[in-house]
Amino acid sequence: MTLPNSLNGRTGNICSVDLDCPDNAFCRQSSYCVCKNSFVYAAVNSTHKGCLKEARNGEECIQHIQCHSTMGVHSECSNGSCSCAENAHLETDRCYETAVIGERCVVDQNCYLGEPGPEREAFCVRGYCTCQLQFSPRDNGTRCVRDAALGEACEDELQCAGPGLQCRGTCRCRPGWVAHTDINACVESATRDLLLTVIDVQCESLSGSEVPAALCLGGACSCSYDARAVGNPPKCWRRKRPGQDCDVDEECVSEEDEPGYCLAGRCTCKTCSPDARDFGGASAVSPPLAAILVTAAILIRH
């Protein structure tokens, strides 16, 4: 707080006229001397006091008080010019004691993290320096890092804000979690230990097929209408009929739901008698290929 000039600049000299006062002072109420505006009363040298000109950052000075009057008590006269003290910084022509994230503060200006910028902005909240919303501290409280969502770049695990996220260059879902694009977040995958579900994406881990084949129905995972549960533990596999392209045996099943197997990238039967209907008609397999497969099956049986 800056004192009124009548108190801050009073020299102590008794006077009747201005000539009775030191340089840069005047006689107030024909009673006592006061320094003029922009001057402060201080020791000029070891034996003499007088009115010294107030000084701002970088301006010449003799005493600390010349800097204090304009820059506050956290300024000093160092090497003949005004500057902020070692534990302070300059902001809008005034020196404020410096505090980093987590340290005590009085005003927002105390919270200083370096040159202004998104990662350097902090505020005094309930007496302590705090990062702005959606930012968290790093480097011993000298920097604030913006929280990252699913798919955004990250530098560490702490930056990935939200359940089930981990940092691998970008924020990604942890094992056992799956991305829910509608809300851009990770949700826990359904397992034997997690039976209750809310959305289809939680059931994707129970799909054996590359195309999701499990759905959330009534709060639990079930195979979709064109899929079946196969294996131990069971997974949902899209049904592939004889003659259709396949990758694994689990996909192959006849129209009568008899299990088949995947041979050379196409489904065939184990115990059924294939016919054109089993092979999905002309849309699934060309007539010559269907005839060859039917003939082969007949020859095998005989």
Side-chain angles (χ1 to χ4, degrees):
M1 182 179 70
T2 302
L3 296 174
N5 195 55
S6 58
L7 299 178
N8 196 37
R10 185 167 177 172
T11 67
N13 299 74
I14 298 173
C15 61
S16 298
V17 294
D18 291 346
L19 291 175
D20 296 331
C21 297
D23 292 343
N24 302 311
F26 65 96
C27 186
R28 188 178 183 87
Q29 298 176 348
S30 300
S31 178
Y32 57 88
C33 294
V34 176
C35 292
K36 295 178 180 179
N37 288 336
S38 301
F39 286 83
V40 292
Y41 188 62
V44 176
N45 51 48
S46 58
T47 59
H48 177 65
K49 289 185 176 182
C51 294
L52 299 177
K53 185 172 178 56
E54 293 177 345
R56 301 186 181 278
N57 185 52
E59 294 180 347
E60 291 185 1
C61 58
I62 298 174
Q63 301 293 341
H64 294 318
I65 193 172
Q66 292 175 267
C67 311
H68 292 175
S69 61
T70 59
M71 300 171 63
V73 296
H74 296 292
S75 62
E76 63 182 8
C77 182
S78 177
N79 298 321
S81 64
C82 287
S83 62
C84 292
E86 185 177 356
N87 64 339
H89 61 277
L90 184 69
E91 191 165 333
T92 58
D93 297 326
R94 192 170 182 83
C95 295
Y96 293 89
E97 188 174 10
T98 301
V100 297
I101 302 300
E103 293 183 342
R104 296 192 65 87
C105 55
V106 178
V107 292
D108 289 342
Q109 287 86 345
N110 291 134
C111 305
Y112 180 71
L113 307 181
E115 291 301 317
E119 294 191 349
R120 304 296 180 184
E121 193 166 0
F123 300 91
C124 186
V125 180
R126 297 179 181 177
Y128 290 90
C129 289
T130 306
C131 291
Q132 60 182 309
L133 289 176
Q134 298 182 334
F135 281 70
S136 55
R138 295 292 189 284
D139 301 340
N140 297 320
T142 60
R143 186 166 64 99
C144 292
V145 175
R146 185 179 65 82
D147 297 338
L150 179 64
E152 294 182 335
C154 58
E155 60 181 54
D156 56 34
E157 295 287 314
L158 292 174
Q159 192 174 359
C160 295
L165 284 174
Q166 65 178 1
C167 181
R168 287 185 288 165
T170 59
C171 292
R172 304 183 186 183
C173 293
R174 298 178 182 275
W177 294 72
V178 62
H180 183 11
T181 55
D182 289 347
I183 59 174
N184 196 39
C186 297
V187 293
E188 198 167 0
S189 297
T191 63
R192 285 180 293 179
D193 299 323
L194 177 66
L195 298 178
L196 293 177
T197 58
V198 179
I199 53 177
D200 291 342
V201 72
Q202 290 178 276
C203 301
E204 286 186 359
S205 62
L206 302 182
S207 293
S209 306
E210 187 173 319
V211 176
L215 304 173
C216 175
L217 299 174
C221 290
S222 301
C223 293
S224 59
Y225 74 95
D226 60 346
R228 64 189 186 118
V230 182
N232 185 24
K235 287 195 171 186
C236 296
W237 295 87
R238 297 276 181 184
R239 288 186 178 90
K240 299 289 184 68
R241 302 304 183 186
Q244 292 183 322
D245 293 341
C246 59
D247 295 307
V248 293
D249 291 345
E250 288 83 354
E251 295 177 298
C252 299
V253 62
S254 71
E255 292 287 352
E256 293 78 19
D257 282 336
E258 295 178 0
Y261 58 94
C262 187
L263 177 63
R266 286 186 180 275
C267 284
T268 188
C269 294
K270 288 184 178 179
T271 60
C272 65
S273 298
D275 55 27
R277 180 169 55 101
D278 288 325
F279 290 92
S283 61
V285 183
S286 63
L289 178 58
I292 292 169
L293 291 173
V294 170
T295 303
I298 293 172
L299 291 174
I300 291 170
R301 282 180 171 251
H302 291 82

